[in-house]
Amino acid sequence: MLLLPGDLSYADGTQSLWDSFGLLIQSYASSRPWMVTEGNHEREKSHDHQQIEPFIAYRHRWRMPYRESGSTSNLYYSFDVAGAVHVIMLGSYAQFGPHSDQYKWLVSDLSKVDRSVTPWLIVLLHAPWYNTNEAHQGEGEDMRKAMEALLYGGRVDIVFAGHVHAYERFTRIYNNAADSCGPVYITIGDGGNREGLALDFDRSHKSASLSMFREASFGHGQLKIIDRENAHWSWHRNDD
């Protein structure tokens, strides 16, 4: 299946772009499941000073199995893949504080994960919690502070993020330090867009020593689950 951590059509409120994006991908999305979460470009823009539900088009056009996972919002949900992986999709643009519905749902969802049934636990969200690119610095920090301990306690294996138009892979991290029990953090926001690449990385960033690889190129990643203890991640440049 294809996992996409937000910014689908870059419609930015223009409904015809949702339509053309749907036509573009339908041959692929009809043959392989596309599981997505929302990005900032899924937000609707207000017109004539009228308030519009921020993700109304996304919610209606891209219904994900949120009710099936006990969530009250299409902006965050979870599902199992092939009896081996539990995938949690978090909403960077939904409330995430300790008293929020999303936070309470995440606590509940993590408590139900049976690692003897789904030994792999993966999380996707849009705005990265760790990022040495100069683009979108600090935008995921509040969410990290609110939820990182939950993912660490749940022994999440990998956290995928988008938003930054480049590729970056970190070591296992918890609370801004290398930790063998923390998740691997991967920014995979390089799938292509109309804005171009985020070309500049900060070599003196406080997280630079935790960043194992970073490159501003368009591409995609492949995660292959081999067995209960082994998986293989690879990143593929479009230019290759």
Side-chain angles (χ1 to χ4, degrees):
M1 65 171 48
L2 185 138
L3 303 175
L4 182 58
D7 285 355
L8 283 69
S9 66
Y10 279 73
D12 289 315
T14 303
Q15 299 308 307
S16 60
L17 292 180
W18 277 113
D19 296 337
S20 59
F21 179 72
L23 291 170
L24 176 69
I25 67 163
Q26 68 176 359
S27 62
Y28 306 106
S30 60
S31 60
R32 174 180 299 190
W34 282 42
M35 308 303 289
V36 304
T37 189
E38 83 281 2
N40 54 300
H41 287 283
E42 275 71 73
R43 280 177 167 166
E44 300 300 313
K45 293 183 178 179
S46 298
H47 300 283
D48 299 324
H49 305 289
Q50 294 181 352
Q51 291 298 315
I52 300 175
E53 181 187 335
F55 294 98
I56 187 169
Y58 169 80
R59 183 168 61 84
H60 284 279
R61 293 174 182 266
W62 287 81
R63 185 195 179 281
M64 295 289 114
Y66 70 96
R67 289 195 180 97
E68 292 86 337
S69 62
S71 171
T72 59
S73 171
N74 200 44
L75 301 182
Y76 50 90
Y77 63 97
S78 67
F79 60 96
D80 291 341
V81 181
V85 186
H86 186 69
V87 180
I88 297 175
M89 297 286 205
L90 294 180
S92 293
Y93 303 100
Q95 295 296 313
F96 48 71
H99 301 293
S100 67
D101 289 343
Q102 180 174 203
Y103 186 98
K104 295 173 183 176
W105 170 82
L106 178 59
V107 170
S108 175
D109 192 75
L110 287 170
S111 71
K112 298 173 185 175
V113 176
D114 184 348
R115 300 302 280 268
S116 68
V117 178
T118 51
W120 292 92
L121 182 53
I122 296 171
V123 170
L124 277 79
L125 47 84
H126 188 60
W129 293 358
Y130 292 97
N131 168 34
T132 70
N133 196 288
E134 293 183 4
H136 302 300
Q137 268 299 314
E139 292 185 21
E141 182 65 5
D142 288 344
M143 190 180 190
R144 181 193 71 79
K145 290 179 178 178
M147 289 185 157
E148 186 179 25
L150 296 181
L151 302 194
Y152 183 77
R155 293 297 184 261
V156 169
D157 295 298
I158 310 171
V159 177
F160 291 107
H163 203 32
V164 176
H165 301 161
Y167 172 68
E168 184 166 23
R169 175 176 56 83
F170 290 86
T171 188
R172 293 184 174 275
I173 302 175
Y174 176 61
N175 196 23
N176 287 293
D179 190 311
S180 61
C181 294
V184 172
Y185 284 84
I186 296 175
T187 299
I188 189 72
D190 58 334
N193 59 81
R194 64 168 179 250
E195 297 176 343
L197 290 162
L199 297 172
D200 299 319
F201 288 93
D202 182 359
R203 302 296 173 178
S204 62
H205 193 280
K206 65 178 182 179
S207 299
S209 63
L210 303 173
S211 179
M212 300 293 98
F213 187 90
R214 48 197 166 181
E215 182 175 316
S217 294
F218 289 127
H220 71 279
Q222 292 184 349
L223 178 65
K224 298 179 180 179
I225 303 300
I226 299 170
D227 56 34
R228 299 179 60 84
E229 297 181 353
N230 297 281
H232 182 264
W233 166 257
S234 57
W235 178 63
H236 304 262
R237 298 180 191 88
N238 285 3
D239 288 343
D240 296 336

